[in-house]
């Protein structure tokens, strides 16, 4: 029974696929739309980079101090 189901499902999928492909328009207007005009980004990427870098350094120092404090408590 299983080989029959696989065969039938394969035939149905091929039939549906071919009807969808043949149903597309081949007229002069057929085809993809023209690409949209690209506009420059409105927000600069690097405006807050220094703030992010400083925040990362401060957080790194905080984590190191917490680890050092935890290590001193265990000793």
């Amino acid at each position: 029974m299983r080989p029959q189901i696989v065969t039938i499902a394969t035939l149905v999928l091929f039939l549906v696929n071919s009807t969808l492909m043949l149903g597309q328009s081949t007229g002069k207007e057929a085809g993809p739309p023209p690409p949209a005009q690209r506009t420059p980004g409105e927000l600069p990427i690097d405006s807050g980079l220094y703030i992010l870098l400083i925040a990362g350094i401060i957080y790194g120092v905080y984590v190191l101090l917490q680890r050092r404090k935890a290590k001193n408590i265990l000793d």
Side-chain angles (χ1 to χ4, degrees):
M1 184 69 182
R2 176 151 166 74
Q4 288 178 343
I5 293 174
V6 171
T7 304
I8 292 171
T10 304
L11 290 174
V12 168
L13 288 174
F14 279 123
L15 180 66
V16 169
N17 189 25
S18 64
T19 56
L20 289 175
M21 289 174 44
L22 293 174
Q24 294 180 358
S25 173
T26 58
K28 192 172 192 179
E29 294 84 26
Q37 297 294 328
R38 294 186 146 227
T39 57
E42 295 182 15
L43 297 175
I45 295 175
D46 61 340
S47 65
L49 187 62
Y50 295 115
I51 296 171
L52 186 62
L53 183 64
I54 292 170
I57 291 172
I58 291 172
Y59 180 70
V61 169
Y62 172 76
V63 169
L64 288 175
L65 290 175
Q66 291 296 328
R67 285 185 183 177
R68 185 172 291 173
K69 186 188 300 185
K71 188 175 181 180
N72 286 340
I73 291 174
L74 293 176
D75 286 340

